[in-house]
Amino acid sequence: MIDFSACIEMMFLEGDRPLDDRVRAAADSGFRAVEIWDWWDKDLSRLARALDTTGTRLITLCVESWKDKCDLGDPSSHDEFLARVRAAADAARQVNTPRLVVLAGDVVPGIEPTTQIHNAVAVLARAGEEVGGDGLELLVEVVNREHEGPNALISDSGSALSLLRAIDLPNVRFLYDRYHAILNGEPLGAEIEDSIPLIGHVQAADIPGRHEFGTGTVDWATELAWLQNAGYGGYVGIEATPLGDSSRVYAAAGALL
């Protein structure tokens, strides 16, 4: 059964709440899980206490910023990428987070495209093996081309899933961000219909504007029903800037189910 998590980088910001208060506000409104982007600029001890006292799970954090990401097609980036994965894994252990979000970076001039994919497969496999002993998953995310730029090494869901099949590790999976997929022109079910077991997490926001469900043009009742009927039973992360009060987002999303 699908449930929802809240991206507390974008939600529960009312009143300039600090991060731990956002956890409490999310829990009070019904969310049993939250997610963040950057971890290195946060008080993880304080965050961990808020998670523990509310019984809330932090289910994802990012290995690196999309503005400062390693290009995994280039072997010279691999040592830095692995160091960032190890640091993120240490942070994840502090806050009991099971999933680390990664990007593949951009196409690197001067290296054959197939070689770049091979290089990305190799380093992601190595990273997955390193964190697997801690029970952690790596989630490979695809961002829309306008946001990340036209030169992304992995620029659509099909390419990401091909990469994951080549890696062939149970703890290296796909972060299917439906918001980004729609902006990339992917119809409902496209690419992922036969690949639900490879999806480790789903994120979503309405279009246009990246706000909560019901503020744009997407039929989220149909979208969520398709996901559920296809066999996805995890969290759908609402990664959106609410137009209304954040405290109303969970109940409204649940009503769509």
Side-chain angles (χ1 to χ4, degrees):
M1 181 71 178
I2 286 174
D3 200 356
F4 300 97
S5 57
C7 176
I8 54 173
E9 304 277 9
M10 302 177 75
M11 296 174 61
F12 299 99
L13 304 183
E14 295 91 346
D16 294 323
R17 291 185 178 105
L19 193 70
D20 55 334
D21 281 350
R22 288 178 233 164
V23 173
R24 297 183 186 96
D28 287 345
S29 76
F31 285 101
R32 294 181 293 178
V34 296
E35 46 197 83
I36 61 172
W37 299 331
D38 304 345
W39 56 267
W40 46 89
D41 59 351
K42 294 177 172 62
D43 185 334
L44 295 182
S45 297
R46 186 171 171 179
L47 175 59
R49 286 194 295 273
L51 294 167
D52 184 59
T53 57
T54 59
T56 306
R57 298 189 69 197
L58 179 66
I59 56 169
T60 64
L61 56 80
C62 294
V63 166
E64 52 191 353
S65 166
W66 69 269
K67 295 179 180 179
D68 176 31
K69 57 186 182 292
C70 294
D71 297 325
L72 303 189
D74 183 355
S76 69
S77 74
H78 289 185
D79 286 346
E80 174 62 24
F81 177 71
L82 290 168
R84 293 179 181 187
V85 170
R86 294 180 193 115
D90 288 341
R93 285 189 287 270
Q94 293 181 56
V95 288
N96 196 29
T97 302
R99 300 180 183 92
L100 311 178
V101 179
V102 297
L103 298 165
D106 292 333
V107 172
V108 180
I111 303 176
E112 286 294 324
T114 54
T115 300
Q116 292 191 51
I117 296 296
H118 175 79
N119 293 339
V121 166
V123 73
L124 286 167
R126 183 175 170 189
E129 289 168 350
E130 286 199 15
V131 302
D134 294 320
L136 297 174
E137 286 188 354
L138 296 181
L139 298 181
V140 178
E141 182 175 17
V142 174
V143 179
N144 76 79
R145 298 181 192 102
E146 181 179 352
H147 179 78
E148 194 173 16
N151 297 317
L153 181 61
I154 305 299
S155 59
D156 56 66
S157 296
S159 298
L161 291 165
S162 294
L163 182 86
L164 294 170
R165 291 189 184 96
I167 294 167
D168 194 25
L169 287 176
N171 70 320
V172 183
R173 303 170 76 195
F174 186 33
L175 194 168
Y176 181 55
D177 191 313
R178 186 62 185 139
Y179 167 80
H180 290 303
I182 293 171
L183 290 180
N184 281 339
E186 297 180 19
L188 177 60
E191 308 292 352
I192 67 163
E193 187 168 10
D194 299 321
S195 303
I196 296 299
L198 289 175
I199 296 176
H201 186 50
V202 173
Q203 292 175 333
D206 215 336
I207 294 170
R210 203 173 186 178
H211 303 302
E212 69 269 41
F213 303 152
T215 59
T217 60
V218 179
D219 180 354
W220 287 105
T222 298
E223 293 266 343
L224 294 169
W226 186 94
L227 268 178
Q228 196 154 267
N229 291 335
Y232 181 75
Y235 286 100
V236 172
I238 302 176
E239 196 177 39
T241 299
L243 289 178
D245 194 312
S246 297
S247 66
R248 299 175 183 170
V249 171
Y250 182 83
L256 294 170
L257 296 175

